[in-house]
Amino acid sequence: SSTPPSTNTTIIDIHTHTYPPSYIDLLASRTTVPYIHRPSDGSDPRLIILSSDDDPSKPLHQRGRPIDKSYSSWAEKLSFMKTHSVSISVVSLANPWLDILPPTTALTTAQHINNDLNASCATQNAKNDPSARLYAFASLPLSATPDEIVSEIHRLPSLPNIKGIILGTTGLGAGLDDPNMDPLWAALESNSTMIFLHPHYGLPESAFGGAETIARSGHVLPLALGFPLETTIAVTRMYLSGVFDRFPRLRMLLAHSGGTLPFLAGRIQSCVEHERDFTSNGGHKQGPRREIWDVLRTNIWLDAVIYSKAGLKSAIEAAGPEGAGRLMFGTDHPFFPRVDGKEKDGEEDGGKWPSVTSNLEAIGGVGVGEEEVRGIFGGNAARVLGIEI
Ligand code: URA
Ligand code: ZN
């Protein structure tokens, strides 16, 4: 049975995606990953965004996943929110964001899409019942010049419905530990911008035994393991390269409860302490100066999109003294829809998505106090992102 939060709990969904129509058109104009294939027989277009989606043994109309209007329609987003009693959504562009833009048009496209998201939130908020509100995370034009990217970071505070940015793991192309990222970190830190770190690229296919092995279980290996490990590796590389030493006030919200970071933090810390290259006797490299635990309790927040009490407990424990106070509810809509197609009211379960109810149940049963549960559902996001409830 599902455990809906009590009726006086405000639910804020900080992990929920959209592809604006202009972005869908961009994907449909491409023929290499990421792209959208529109079958000539009029059936639902196919979203082929992960490299493992582009399985050459399948015809185009069977690759990837069907993409319906839930990927770009505000009405669908609001209807999903209503079904699951979500009052406020902070929407973000879905992967791979603006990573694929040609450098010359990247800045203007980013400005256009971020303005569009900000304005769409305003329009929807003005016309809908005030019990449903929308905000957004912006995207950065990562293929533009560092100066241009920094200019967009500094412009975002002028957009009132933008509550931070969503960022992938590749940075300027060489990862988030690239020293050339420093001007971006400096700008993000000076604006106290929340950085929602989200995976897209996964692990190399060889990590899973190659494309054929992956294809046997579809999206399971890339999404269940590739995504969380990608996030874990990206943030650990940032940590090891001293990003959190140089920018001690960075604010990062990690997707999928930090990937596996909460579970592995002890091992990361121990390996750092045992690394001879970092120690004074013979050591010649600068290791991170702060403990990973300190970073977890000051720079990092975690979403609660992990679908089990075991994962949530690890996240709460790793978050330090604030514990559950650093977790925030999310749904990952429109990914992980019902597979039985029953989304209409009148179904026994009200058309709810098991991907959402499993997270609601895990949070409700995780064993923290009622106030803390309410914090995870919405209070923490309101406080940390500056959203009035
Ligand atoms: N699959 C994706 O490609 N992105 C998500 O955010 C979730 C599932
Ligand atoms: Zn997501």
Side-chain angles (χ1 to χ4, degrees):
S1 72
S2 79
T3 317
S6 55
T7 44
N8 59 351
T9 299
T10 302
I11 304 188
I12 303 182
D13 180 359
I14 52 80
H15 189 155
T16 177
H17 302 292
T18 189
Y19 285 119
S22 57
Y23 192 88
I24 298 264
D25 290 341
L26 172 74
L27 290 178
S29 73
R30 296 169 52 94
T31 52
T32 55
V33 166
Y35 66 105
I36 285 174
H37 169 67
R38 289 182 169 139
S40 49
D41 67 1
S43 56
D44 265 346
R46 306 292 296 195
L47 177 62
I48 302 155
I49 50 171
L50 308 180
S51 55
S52 62
D53 289 344
D54 206 18
D55 179 355
S57 72
K58 284 186 183 168
L60 281 169
H61 69 274
Q62 284 173 9
R63 291 186 200 171
R65 58 201 121 185
I67 174 173
D68 60 16
K69 55 186 179 355
S70 67
Y71 282 79
S72 52
S73 146
W74 294 112
E76 290 286 321
K77 183 70 76 188
L78 289 155
S79 150
F80 168 85
M81 288 166 64
K82 193 166 186 188
T83 299
H84 298 92
S85 307
V86 172
S87 305
I88 299 170
S89 287
V90 186
V91 299
S92 48
L93 216 63
N95 46 300
W97 316 283
L98 307 179
D99 294 15
I100 52 174
L101 295 178
T104 48
T105 55
L107 178 62
T108 50
T109 306
Q111 291 168 338
H112 177 79
I113 287 191
N114 292 333
N115 287 348
D116 183 24
L117 271 179
N118 179 61
S120 294
C121 292
T123 309
Q124 294 297 329
N125 293 347
K127 89 172 186 214
N128 297 320
D129 185 320
S131 65
R133 244 183 302 150
L134 298 172
Y135 297 97
F137 289 125
S139 303
L140 297 182
L142 292 174
S143 52
T145 65
D147 280 352
E148 288 176 319
I149 306 170
V150 165
S151 78
E152 186 61 0
I153 294 169
H154 287 311
R155 193 182 73 90
L156 294 176
S158 70
L159 306 180
N161 297 310
I162 297 294
K163 294 292 174 188
I165 62 157
I166 184 165
L167 184 72
T169 60
T170 45
L172 306 174
L176 302 183
D177 51 2
D178 178 359
N180 293 321
M181 286 290 289
D182 277 13
L184 277 65
W185 300 134
L188 292 163
E189 184 186 54
S190 76
N191 287 306
S192 300
T193 307
M194 181 59 86
I195 305 158
F196 179 26
L197 182 65
H198 192 292
H200 168 69
Y201 298 91
L203 295 181
E205 291 187 342
S206 60
F208 299 123
E212 273 181 49
T213 318
I214 296 173
R216 269 180 236 144
S217 50
H219 280 121
V220 175
L221 288 167
L223 293 186
L225 302 184
F227 265 33
L229 286 164
E230 175 189 354
T231 305
T232 310
I233 293 167
V235 70
T236 305
R237 282 174 57 183
M238 284 176 73
Y239 167 67
L240 291 176
S241 70
V243 172
F244 296 105
D245 296 322
R246 296 195 296 287
F247 305 99
R249 287 180 309 283
L250 269 190
R251 289 153 57 88
M252 300 196 89
L253 169 61
L254 306 186
H256 314 125
S257 298
T260 59
L261 183 68
F263 191 79
L264 295 179
R267 190 165 176 85
I268 294 165
Q269 185 61 41
S270 175
C271 287
V272 164
E273 285 165 15
H274 288 86
E275 177 47 55
R276 288 186 178 81
D277 268 354
F278 295 159
T279 61
S280 52
N281 52 345
H284 57 276
K285 289 181 194 152
Q286 173 71 62
R289 271 165 267 166
R290 296 172 60 197
E291 290 202 359
I292 188 72
W293 300 114
D294 181 37
V295 173
L296 274 161
R297 66 182 60 150
T298 52
N299 301 97
I300 289 178
W301 287 264
L302 303 166
D303 77 18
V305 186
I306 195 71
Y307 312 102
S308 78
K309 286 193 277 180
L312 270 185
K313 282 184 179 171
S314 177
I316 291 170
E317 176 70 22
E322 263 187 273
R326 298 185 82 83
L327 268 66
M328 304 178 201
F329 176 78
T331 62
D332 227 345
H333 180 260
F335 298 101
F336 308 109
R338 293 180 67 117
V339 290
D340 62 7
K342 293 182 184 166
E343 296 183 12
K344 303 170 290 297
D345 283 343
E347 298 297 337
E348 212 173 306
D349 54 9
K352 290 191 167 68
W353 292 18
S355 58
V356 178
T357 48
S358 55
N359 277 322
L360 293 173
E361 278 173 33
I363 296 166
V366 74
V368 296
E370 211 174 302
E371 262 315 290
E372 287 177 295
V373 168
R374 285 153 56 88
I376 298 176
F377 279 129
N380 300 338
R383 184 181 73 250
V384 174
L385 301 177
I387 294 171
E388 249 179 77
I389 53 175

